[in-house]
Amino acid sequence: MSSIISIAQKISEYDDAVKLDECLDYIPLAEIFESAAQDQENSARDEGDRVVIALLKWFKSHFKWVNAAPCAHCGNTETVGRGGTSPNEEEKKYGTQVTEIWHCDKCNSDTRFPRYNDLYKLLETKSGRCGEWCHVMTYLLKSLGKDVRYIWNSEDHVWNEVWSDNEKRWIHVDSCEAAFDKPLIYADGWGKKMAYVIAVSNQGCKDVTNRYVRRPDAALPRKLMSEQQLAGLLVQLTTNARAGMDPVELVNQSILDEEEDKELNSFVHAPTATESLQARQSGSAEWTASRGENGA
């Protein structure tokens, strides 16, 4: 669970006022709000939620998913992964912890693909995979004044949840799929089996696995620690996040915790007829198949 602790320790970075202002300037607000206003498919939803949907659609068309890094020398897109290496000094400037190496058989050269963690660099490159996409989307949603969670999954995927003022609940948001309020897309659409799904925000940490895994055959054994240890860890991280919080706000958060606990404990497996539970769209067919996320 070191990943959760690390995310919790860094989650406040997403409240950087300067970066949020930069994101607000980056988003084509007029286009987003016009798209939200004309969204007939989601006309029953609140305007604030339609704005999030419009942002997801724009982001999906604006950012590029990298299956294999194209050759920097000849442009060949069918490069072969050669594993990871330590980032060089230039790559470290942008928060890179690992750089992938991709080999081109056509010109016999290697291309470096740094997994950047710097907001400005990612807004420049507009490329990456779920880690980069979720990282940027967290900033973009917060720049619009949304309460946002960073969702960590033990089976190597990350996404977001956003608080809906209209529905008074946390709603699933996946920028890689432009998916909004489709929490069953992973287990029922991708065929993905999961053990842990943990939400992290500046209000604390929550085990939200029940929102995403509602069938026993979609659940993997939870072996990272005992359930008592996990509960204790999440309580401690939440206590740390709320240290110094206004007493009235603490009471409000406790009420919201109780309401969400009721929601999480009430879930049954019943996807709606209108819910799109397609196989994974982001990533190559070979890659998604190797991860067991192609709906097979």
Side-chain angles (χ1 to χ4, degrees):
M1 291 295 181
S2 59
S3 296
I4 299 172
I5 297 173
S6 178
I7 296 169
Q9 291 173 338
K10 297 178 180 179
I11 198 70
S12 61
E13 295 178 5
Y14 290 110
D15 293 316
D16 186 309
V18 174
K19 291 182 178 179
L20 294 181
D21 283 344
E22 293 279 357
C23 285
L24 203 57
D25 291 337
Y26 185 80
I27 300 171
L29 293 174
E31 175 185 335
I32 296 297
F33 279 92
E34 181 179 2
S35 176
Q38 297 178 355
D39 186 356
Q40 295 301 313
E41 181 182 353
N42 295 286
S43 59
R45 291 191 182 273
D46 172 73
E47 180 187 16
D49 293 342
R50 295 201 308 273
V51 166
V52 175
I53 295 171
L55 178 67
L56 286 170
K57 291 179 179 178
W58 167 79
F59 188 79
K60 176 73 171 178
S61 65
H62 192 62
F63 273 64
K64 178 183 178 182
W65 180 274
V66 178
N67 289 310
C71 179
H73 304 275
C74 71
N76 175 30
T77 58
E78 298 180 357
T79 54
V80 180
R82 290 289 188 255
T85 187
S86 298
N88 58 35
E89 292 304 313
E90 179 65 19
E91 294 161 349
K92 287 180 182 178
K93 292 180 182 179
Y94 305 106
T96 305
Q97 295 183 334
V98 64
T99 294
E100 298 174 2
I101 302 298
W102 292 84
H103 182 75
C104 176
D105 290 332
K106 286 188 176 181
C107 66
N108 196 33
S109 62
D110 289 335
T111 295
R112 299 174 69 88
F113 177 54
R115 301 300 300 274
Y116 294 126
N117 195 45
D118 179 81
L119 171 66
Y120 300 116
K121 191 65 174 178
L122 290 173
L123 291 179
E124 173 191 327
T125 64
K126 303 182 187 67
S127 64
R129 301 195 195 101
C130 67
E132 291 91 341
W133 286 45
C134 181
H135 183 54
V136 175
M137 180 54 65
T138 304
Y139 276 112
L140 295 182
L141 288 168
K142 277 184 169 285
S143 74
L144 293 177
K146 304 297 182 180
D147 285 335
V148 184
R149 283 171 162 178
Y150 188 105
I151 308 299
W152 172 86
N153 163 235
S154 53
E155 286 66 51
D156 192 32
H157 189 49
V158 289
W159 60 90
N160 293 108
E161 286 182 352
V162 64
W163 177 257
S164 170
D165 288 326
N166 181 57
E167 300 195 25
K168 304 301 179 186
R169 65 184 178 93
W170 289 101
I171 292 182
H172 158 256
V173 171
D174 191 325
S175 55
C176 298
E177 307 294 291
F180 181 86
D181 202 11
K182 299 184 186 300
L184 299 181
I185 193 173
Y186 309 114
D188 291 1
W190 296 10
K192 183 178 179 70
K193 296 181 182 293
M194 297 182 285
Y196 299 91
V197 182
I198 308 295
V200 184
S201 74
N202 52 15
Q203 287 95 30
C205 299
K206 193 85 168 178
D207 183 351
V208 294
T209 308
N210 281 3
R211 181 171 290 128
Y212 299 92
V213 183
R214 306 185 195 176
R215 292 181 291 111
D217 62 324
L220 291 175
R222 290 161 61 103
K223 298 180 178 180
L224 294 182
M225 59 175 59
S226 71
E227 294 302 311
Q228 184 177 7
Q229 288 174 318
L230 175 60
L233 173 62
L234 298 183
V235 167
Q236 184 59 59
L237 292 175
T238 298
T239 300
N240 294 344
R242 297 179 184 181
M245 186 177 285
D246 178 85
V248 175
E249 181 61 22
L250 277 174
V251 172
N252 290 336
Q253 287 296 329
S254 295
I255 294 173
L256 292 175
D257 287 343
E258 292 177 4
E259 291 299 316
E260 186 172 20
D261 286 339
K262 292 178 183 177
E263 178 193 16
L264 292 169
N265 291 329
S266 69
F267 283 129
V268 294
H269 182 70
T272 62
T274 58
E275 189 168 14
S276 176
L277 299 175
Q278 73 275 6
R280 185 166 188 168
Q281 304 299 299
S282 54
S284 67
E286 295 79 10
W287 186 72
T288 56
S290 70
R291 293 164 58 91
E293 297 173 350
N294 62 349

